[in-house]
Amino acid sequence: MNQMRAMPLTAHHPAETHPLTLSERNIPHPTRGELLLRVILCGVCHTDLHTLEGDIHPPKLPVVPGHQVVGVVEEMGEPLPGGTGVPHYERLKVGDRVGVPWLYSACGTCEFCLRGLENLCPNAKFTGFHVDGGYADYMIADARYALPLPDAISDEQAAPLLCAGIVGYRSLKLADIQPGERVGLAGFGASAHLCLQVLNHWGCDAFVFTRSAGHRAHARELGAVWAGAVEDNGDAGETPGVALDRIVVFAPVGALVPVMLEKLRPGGTLALNAIHMSPIPEFPYHLLWGERTVRSVANATRQDGVEFLKLAAEIPIRATTTVYPLERANEALLDMKHSRINGEAVLMM
Ligand SMILES: [Zn+2]
Ligand SMILES: [Zn+2]
């Protein structure tokens, strides 16, 4: 038994054509500092969709997507020499449950890594992009970047936390959110529904903007103080009638930037949580005037992962999930693309 199932991407195509194909391949072997994981579950992320459809290009194909992996350590490669600087690394053992996020590894020596910005490392590798990810029965992980999962969080609950949660959390941090503030969330998929629960925990009022009526209802259920319609064509949409302190845009839609800037108070922050975004249309300077800040959020650090998983267990965050078997990964991606599910799609091996 050295064969496993995987759903690799061999060529970029629209999700409608079901570009992932079920295939058999050899179970890989871990080398020094690596782990062989038996994958239990893998979350489905918008970044996987962007990879599938060629909005972003992995260095080579085929590649197995999937970067929200909950797995069990099946085998460990030769240990790394001491002084890795990763406290949990020394304690890892066969049988442990770990999570593999988008950041597969970083170089640790460049100016960004040394500043604690390994998310910006030019030599960073991303899971399911530079290396094969979790749409498979087994995968290799870099032991230093695999995240220990708090026992209080179940497998199914953990998967969405690993990207939607961690990168969403970084967006909240980079948006400079202070307790009690009014925070807008534009787009209400996997990431925003987890962020909303962090905002509730921080005593913030959440205002949700999304074109999906189902997502607006989901937001209200989870405690949003207001949920209104916004279209991705640049129309102003509904407005809550109060200026917002901070806004995070989750939808990969540049037309939302000027629309959301109009809803932001002077001195407020607009953070863009998107690895890919359609062009931002030209807009008058007065929308930015008043010391408003617009910034992007790129990936996340290992430290973001450690902090967020601890917070998620404390709150505790409840992820809404829809589970699909591995071989239905194409359908899961399509349902996410068309906002047909609430929360996150998760593949079960
Ligand atoms: Zn680096
Ligand atoms: Zn992701």
Side-chain angles (χ1 to χ4, degrees):
M1 236 291 296
N2 58 358
Q3 293 282 296
M4 66 172 198
R5 300 168 309 151
M7 289 288 277
L9 175 71
T10 48
H12 300 290
H13 289 293
E16 283 74 8
T17 65
H18 287 204
L20 303 179
T21 41
L22 188 66
S23 66
E24 289 272 318
R25 46 167 74 186
N26 290 331
I27 297 175
H29 287 292
T31 60
R32 184 182 287 274
E34 291 181 341
L35 307 171
L36 173 67
L37 301 181
R38 177 171 55 78
V39 179
I40 302 170
L41 289 160
C42 183
V44 175
C45 176
H46 260 277
T47 299
D48 303 336
L49 185 63
H50 290 311
T51 306
L52 225 68
E53 300 198 326
D55 297 322
I56 53 173
H57 289 89
K60 66 178 179 55
L61 295 176
V63 69
V64 177
H67 57 269
Q68 304 187 87
V69 187
V70 177
V72 173
V73 178
E74 192 82 2
E75 197 184 324
M76 296 180 73
E78 288 291 301
L80 288 165
T84 56
V86 183
H88 75 260
Y89 174 74
E90 316 300 333
R91 296 194 293 272
L92 261 181
K93 57 185 189 309
V94 169
D96 282 357
R97 189 176 67 132
V98 295
V100 185
W102 174 236
L103 183 68
Y104 182 86
S105 67
C107 77
T109 56
C110 73
E111 62 173 306
F112 294 102
C113 284
L114 295 177
R115 287 168 195 259
L117 292 169
E118 59 194 0
N119 58 313
L120 304 180
C121 173
N123 304 309
K125 289 183 186 163
F126 298 111
T127 313
F129 191 77
H130 296 103
V131 296
D132 286 334
Y135 288 18
D137 289 323
Y138 292 87
M139 71 169 283
I140 296 292
D142 184 312
R144 296 166 302 167
Y145 289 85
L147 297 166
L149 295 172
D151 290 339
I153 304 175
S154 72
D155 297 336
E156 189 178 325
Q157 286 289 307
L161 303 181
L162 291 164
C163 182
I166 293 171
V167 181
Y169 172 67
R170 184 172 181 83
S171 303
L172 299 181
K173 287 204 302 185
L174 295 193
D176 295 322
I177 292 165
Q178 305 299 314
E181 285 189 331
R182 287 191 286 255
V183 181
L185 305 173
F188 198 74
S191 196
H193 99 285
L194 301 173
C195 287
L196 172 53
Q197 297 176 59
V198 176
L199 293 175
N200 290 342
H201 182 70
W202 288 346
C204 295
D205 284 342
F207 296 76
V208 171
F209 301 81
T210 169
R211 64 183 173 178
S212 157
H215 286 181
R216 290 196 292 276
H218 190 215
R220 288 189 199 100
E221 261 167 51
L222 290 173
V225 297
W226 182 91
V230 69
E231 287 300 326
D232 53 15
N233 58 9
D235 287 352
E238 293 183 67
T239 178
V242 289
L244 303 176
D245 298 299
R246 319 287 170 184
I247 298 173
V248 182
V249 175
F250 295 91
V253 178
L256 286 175
V257 172
V259 168
M260 299 316 293
L261 271 174
E262 279 193 56
K263 305 179 196 302
L264 191 66
R265 69 154 164 87
T269 311
L270 179 65
L272 309 177
N273 174 346
I275 193 167
H276 165 82
M277 187 172 256
S278 54
I280 298 172
E282 198 176 331
F283 58 84
Y285 180 58
H286 75 80
L287 291 182
L288 189 61
W289 166 250
E291 302 190 342
R292 293 173 179 88
T293 301
V294 179
R295 70 178 308 168
S296 66
V297 179
N299 318 311
T301 64
R302 177 171 46 194
Q303 184 56 27
D304 292 327
V306 171
E307 278 175 31
F308 175 71
L309 289 170
K310 184 165 173 280
L311 181 65
E314 273 167 24
I315 291 178
I317 288 182
R318 296 292 304 165
T320 303
T321 55
T322 304
V323 178
Y324 299 74
L326 172 66
E327 59 273 21
R328 288 180 56 209
N330 287 300
E331 287 165 66
L333 282 151
L334 208 50
D335 287 347
M336 177 185 65
K337 179 176 180 177
H338 295 293
S339 302
R340 288 195 288 251
I341 49 167
N342 281 338
E344 174 147 309
V346 171
L347 304 178
M348 185 175 274
M349 302 314 139

